[in-house]
């Protein structure tokens, strides 16, 4: 769920790889916290049917995932 993803991101800010494929209850608002993982290089959100917007991971001056090199949707 969105709440569990937020707990994971807050508790493990150094994550470099994250597979959350098939999370049916993950939403766009919940995925916004992914932008707090600056070391993330791999992300798998395939089959997350409610997830339609991944703007939070786009690298920006104030955050995002600048090191992301592999994205599975």
């Amino acid at each position: 769920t969105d709440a569990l993803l937020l707990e994971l991101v807050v508790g493990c800010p150094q994550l470099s790889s994250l597979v959350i494929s098939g999370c049916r209850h993950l939403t766009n608002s919940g995925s916004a916290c992914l932008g707090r993982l600056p070391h993330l290089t791999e992300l798998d959100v395939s089959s997350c049917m409610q997830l339609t917007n991944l703007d939070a991971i786009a690298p920006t001056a104030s955050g995002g995932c600048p090191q992301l090199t592999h994205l599975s949707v």
Side-chain angles (χ1 to χ4, degrees):
T1 65
D2 293 344
L4 290 174
L5 180 59
L6 178 59
E7 284 185 44
L8 178 70
V9 168
V10 169
C12 304
Q14 300 297 319
L15 276 177
S16 62
S17 180
L18 181 60
V19 176
I20 49 177
S21 61
C23 292
R24 292 183 235 155
H25 300 290
L26 180 63
T27 67
N28 292 330
S29 59
S31 71
C33 66
L34 292 172
R36 298 183 192 177
L37 296 172
H39 304 288
L40 194 66
T41 59
E42 299 180 47
L43 176 62
D44 184 348
V45 290
S46 57
S47 299
C48 295
M49 299 306 177
Q50 293 188 53
L51 191 57
T52 60
N53 185 334
L54 290 172
D55 287 347
I57 65 170
T60 65
S62 62
C65 302
Q67 296 184 32
L68 190 67
T69 57
H70 293 87
L71 174 63
S72 297
V73 292

